[in-house]
Amino acid sequence: MATTSGTGDHRRVKSAAFLFACGCAGAAPHWLDPARSLWPAISMALMLGGYGLRTVLRGDLSSNGGPDPTISDPSTVDLQSLPSLDVVVAARDEEGVVTRLVERLTSLRYPSDRMSTWVIDDGSQDRTPQLLDELADRHPGLHVIHRERDAGGGKSGALNTALSQLSGEWLLVLDADAQLQDDLLERLVPYALDGGWSAVQLRKAVIDADCNWLTRAQAMEMALDAVIQTGRLAGGGVAELRGNGQLIKRSELERSGGFNEDTVTDDLDLSFRLLSHGALVGLLWDPPVQEEAVPGLPALWKQRQRWAEGGLQRFFDYWPTLTSSELSLRQRWDLACFFLLQYGLPVVSFADLSTSLITRSTPTYWPLSIIAFSVSGLAYWRGCRGRSEGPAIPRPGVWHTLVAIAYLGHWFVVIPWVTLRMALLPKRLVWAKTNHGPSQQPAGA
């Protein structure tokens, strides 16, 4: 069983150490000779820019995530050979989408004697419990579990409650707002089996991209993320689970200790738990799992704080394993570069800007920031020009791309703030769910 290497006060110490190291790295060049003050940034730009460019260009988006397109063709699948499967959803206060969810799940094509559907009502205070009970009466294959709201463990606790009752060889974990194509399981499960994956993450597609500029930017961000994930895999690196639309082999999940109830992002944590014993995660580009974007800035700020905290927690908790010989050299290199770009760069840049304001000098890390945003623009261009069986991905026109690149700047505020908060304040684990609403856009067929 995988265990975390640090929680509580240990995470606070590691957060403080990370904050101090990034602060020193951001401030130090300001005390160098002006002729040499850009050297650290230029060196990092060459190293991390090269990694980012190779990662983005390596991603293969043309064959449904696999070397052989027929792997994902339902007509080639022997339905009698498919393994048993449980579809699992943890729901809290989801009366607006739970009926649509169950209708979509019951329409999925898969041998009925090998598939079960489970929805955990995690102490909902709206009409979700009543609606689920009514739906269970109409759909014999639907199993509903009611859990007390203060049962603890957040979403991980809800999923672990169901895990003890599941019997399938695989489980597909979804969010309550998920929408799926009818043939998804017939394509996803064979892809996982033929590829030898222990888990597979579906590409996430936004169904309400045309709502406003923020939802459009998130739709483009999901495409960017999938490009980077496939590129990391192609380079011998690591792909990660994203919560909604994750297929997991049950034996590997149990070997990893189930879902970690001491983290705010069970998906990111599980990715590293699987990696710690050589269980690899794949990514399937098509068909995607379709979900709603966050429609406003306050909700986005809340969501991204949780994502940033969970992302940092997993690196702090599993750092000894991530830097050990248990992983291949390519995996360690990929994780180190990803960590520096995703988490190190925003904090260093914040320290660089703060120092420049205090000393009235010019920021020194702008070459690295320019390279990072440029590579992101290339990832947008590749991802948004890729095929999509689900909702159309916004086209990467000049204006849309510039807005989407500027949108990524929110991470340069969120991550420094979350790092500071983690270093100073104790964490109270709560399920900070994203509110969902009914959507009229069809999920596709």
Side-chain angles (χ1 to χ4, degrees), residues 304-305 308-309 312 413-423:
R304 297 313 165 94
Q305 286 187 85
E309 182 166 359
L312 281 167
V413 179
V414 171
I415 291 177
W417 163 247
V418 167
T419 305
L420 179 63
R421 193 186 66 188
M422 290 175 64

Side-chain angles (χ1 to χ4, degrees), residues 79-91:
L79 298 181
Q80 300 306 312
S81 67
L82 293 175
S84 55
L85 170 73
D86 294 302
V87 180
V88 185
V89 182

Side-chain angles (χ1 to χ4, degrees), residues 124-353:
S124 298
Q125 295 178 336
D126 60 1
R127 295 185 61 247
T128 299
Q130 293 82 3
L131 290 174
L132 283 174
D133 289 338
E134 293 172 4
L135 290 165
D137 290 338
R138 299 203 304 266
H139 301 284
L142 174 64
H143 306 274
V144 177
I145 300 174
H146 295 288
R147 204 169 86 111
E148 295 296 326
R149 194 174 184 90
D150 58 355
K155 180 181 177 182
S156 295
L159 293 173
N160 282 333
T161 298
L163 185 59
S164 62
Q165 303 184 43
L166 305 183
S167 59
E169 299 171 64
W170 291 79
L171 66 154
L172 176 65
V173 180
L174 300 169
D175 287 348
D177 66 328
Q179 298 191 43
L180 310 168
Q181 294 183 187
D182 294 346
D183 64 347
L184 179 134
L185 293 178
E186 296 176 339
R187 300 167 64 179
L188 171 61
V189 175
Y191 171 72
L193 296 174
D194 294 339
W197 303 111
S198 298
V200 176
Q201 174 62 51
L202 296 170
R203 174 176 63 87
K204 298 171 75 173
V206 171
I207 63 177
D208 53 351
D210 58 353
C211 180
N212 56 45
W213 72 269
L214 186 60
T215 59
R216 182 175 63 247
Q218 290 172 75
M220 296 176 70
E221 184 184 25
M222 293 300 102
L224 171 147
D225 178 69
V227 168
I228 292 174
Q229 292 254 61
T230 58
R232 292 176 69 186
L233 276 178
V238 176
E240 299 168 310
L241 298 172
R242 291 292 185 255
N244 191 15
Q246 54 186 27
L247 179 73
I248 311 166
K249 193 172 185 178
R250 185 183 173 191
S251 60
E252 294 292 350
L253 176 60
E254 293 177 339
R255 184 182 174 193
S256 300
F259 296 96
N260 185 5
E261 299 183 20
D262 193 34
T263 183
V264 295
T265 49
D266 58 281
D267 48 347
L268 298 180
D269 181 273
L270 179 59
S271 300
F272 281 7
R273 284 175 170 245
L274 292 170
L275 180 64
S276 68
H277 56 257
L280 299 180
V281 177
L283 184 134
L284 185 64
W285 182 271
D286 273 332
V289 59
Q290 305 172 33
E291 63 180 22
E292 300 169 7
V294 174
L297 290 175
L300 181 75
W301 172 254
K302 181 179 179 180
Q303 179 195 69
R304 297 313 165 94
Q305 286 187 85
R306 181 172 60 85
W307 288 6
E309 182 166 359
L312 281 167
Q313 281 181 357
R314 61 182 168 148
F315 276 99
F316 294 158
D317 289 349
Y318 303 105
W319 194 255
T321 299
L322 304 181
T323 56
S324 72
S325 58
E326 295 179 32
L327 305 185
S328 69
L329 182 60
R330 285 188 175 185
Q331 288 174 329
R332 282 177 280 164
W333 173 251
D334 171 74
L335 288 166
C337 290
F338 181 80
F339 177 79
L340 290 174
L341 281 171
Q342 180 72 27
Y343 303 102
L345 176 58
V347 183
V348 169
S349 297
F350 189 84
D352 175 34
L353 179 60

Side-chain angles (χ1 to χ4, degrees), residues 377-391:
L378 178 61
Y380 276 136
W381 184 82
R382 288 212 67 203
C384 294
R385 289 174 60 87
R387 56 177 291 176
S388 177
E389 294 185 15

